[in-house]
């Protein structure tokens, strides 16, 4: 199981959506380097303010590459600190709802002192499932 | 997490305000031909934006945002008024659920009954 899983982990990188992101990163990095070069020429021509931008643009280009790499890394290896509980409350990997959906209390007709607790917990589960639905989607941007 | 959120909010507002000031100055510059103010505020915004990126990016990783929202958060610092809009959206949709999930005690988990 782990072998096929390992190789398919990276497969998302060649989906059209991700190829689009790769292209965007490459183009924006080239653009930023070009802008830095342009500012360097302006600075050498005597525009003192351009010296700041001469260093800023390459810095932004480095940021873009680092951020891009980190985003991919997190996508492949989700941070270990994320507990299943976080996974429920957060977008990203939308976990499957509990098997059979939120359990309904009292359905089995077995009386018990924790029925009230169970009902509260089921309501909580139902609320979480409802809140999480649609997370991870960004209107028009993905 | 809390510190990161606080820093992000501060930087979103500071960067946003300075960017609006910059826009007003840039418009005024059309009528008053004096570049000095625009240059100073422009450089300040450039520096603030670097700090904004350094604060906002770790937060997008903590919230595990997908590339779309991540790019939206990072670019917001360069578009007038966008930091305020994006900050509101991100707070409501991602930060508050994450904080609630992290802070609230576990509800009593009853044993599965069959």
């Amino acid at each position: 199981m782990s072998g096929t899983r390992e190789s398919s982990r990276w497969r998302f990188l060649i989906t059209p959506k991700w190829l689009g992101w790769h292209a965007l990163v490459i183009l924006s990095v080239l653009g930023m380097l070009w802008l830095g070069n342009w500012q360097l020429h302006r600075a050498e021509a005597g525009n003192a303010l351009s010296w700041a931008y001469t260093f800023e643009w390459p810095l932004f280009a480095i940021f873009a590459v680092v951020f891009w790499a980190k985003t991919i890394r997190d996508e492949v290896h989700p941070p270990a600190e994320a507990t299943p509980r976080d996974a429920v409350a957060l977008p990203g990997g939308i976990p499957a709802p509990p098997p059979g959906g939120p359990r309904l209390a009292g359905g089995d007709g077995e009386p018990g002192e924790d029925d009230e607790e169970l009902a509260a917990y089921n309501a909580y589960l139902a609320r979480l499932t409802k809140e999480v639905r649609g997370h991870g989607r960004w209107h028009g941007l993905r | 997490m809390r510190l990161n959120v606080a820093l992000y909010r501060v930087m979103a507002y500071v960067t946003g305000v300075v960017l609006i000031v910059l826009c007003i100055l840039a418009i005024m510059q059309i009528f008053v031909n004096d570049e000095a103010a625009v240059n100073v505020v422009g450089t300040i915004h450039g520096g603030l934006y670097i700090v904004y990126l350094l604060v906002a990016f770790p937060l997008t990783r903590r919230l595990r945002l997908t590339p779309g929202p991540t790019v939206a958060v990072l670019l917001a610092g360069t578009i007038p008024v966008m930091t305020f809009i994006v900050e509101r959206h991100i707070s409501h949709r991602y930060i508050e659920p994450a904080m609630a999930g992290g802070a609230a005690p576990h509800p009593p988990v009853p044993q599965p009954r069959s």
Side-chain angles (χ1 to χ4, degrees):
Chain A
M1 175 184 157
S2 65
T4 43
R5 222 176 148 187
E6 193 61 35
S7 62
S8 61
R9 263 183 171 176
W10 295 90
R11 200 156 293 159
F12 72 92
L13 286 175
I14 54 168
T15 56
K17 189 179 82 188
W18 273 92
L19 287 176
W21 287 120
H22 303 330
L24 183 72
V25 170
I26 291 166
L27 280 178
S28 55
V29 165
L30 289 177
M32 288 183 229
L33 292 177
W34 178 79
L35 284 166
N37 188 43
W38 169 63
Q39 291 289 351
L40 177 64
H41 288 306
R42 279 182 47 152
E44 283 172 337
N47 186 338
L49 188 69
S50 284
W51 281 116
Y53 296 118
T54 302
F55 293 99
E56 244 175 52
W57 280 116
L59 189 63
F60 287 145
I62 293 168
F63 278 4
V65 173
V66 171
F67 292 176
W68 174 64
K70 283 197 156 195
T71 306
I72 289 175
R73 202 189 61 184
D74 280 3
E75 199 84 11
V76 177
H77 300 291
E81 61 186 276
T83 64
R85 196 178 155 71
D86 286 340
V88 169
L90 291 175
I94 298 173
R103 286 166 52 79
L104 294 177
D108 49 15
E110 189 187 316
E113 58 185 12
D114 60 349
D115 269 0
E116 207 172 308
E117 255 184 8
L118 186 62
Y121 181 55
N122 283 331
Y124 168 79
L125 280 184
R127 186 167 57 79
L128 275 189
T129 311
K130 203 171 131 222
E131 272 176 11
V132 159
R133 198 166 293 151
H135 274 194
R137 264 179 249 147
W138 182 271
H139 313 292
L141 262 175
R142 271 187 86 193
Chain B
M1 180 76 178
R2 259 170 206 289
L3 177 67
N4 203 164
V5 168
L7 285 174
Y8 164 68
R9 286 190 171 141
V10 168
M11 285 315 298
Y13 276 81
V14 171
T15 311
V17 168
V18 171
L19 185 55
I20 289 169
V21 170
L22 178 60
C23 285
I24 293 169
L25 288 174
I27 294 166
M28 278 168 60
Q29 194 207 325
I30 297 170
F31 305 103
V32 186
N33 203 6
D34 180 15
E35 287 187 349
V38 172
N39 287 347
V40 170
V41 178
T43 314
I44 291 172
H45 176 259
L48 284 173
Y49 182 59
I50 293 174
V51 180
Y52 173 82
L53 287 179
L54 291 175
V55 168
F57 184 72
L59 184 67
T60 66
R61 294 298 86 221
R62 289 212 168 121
L63 295 173
R64 305 179 66 195
L65 299 187
T66 47
T70 301
V71 168
V73 168
L74 298 183
L75 286 186
T78 61
I79 305 164
V81 194
M82 273 307 270
T83 49
F84 307 115
I85 297 169
V86 169
E87 193 274 330
R88 268 189 76 103
H89 184 92
I90 292 291
S91 285
H92 179 71
R93 186 150 179 183
Y94 299 104
I95 295 176
E96 281 161 16
M99 299 283 252
H106 276 278
V109 181
Q111 295 302 310
R113 305 164 75 188
S114 52

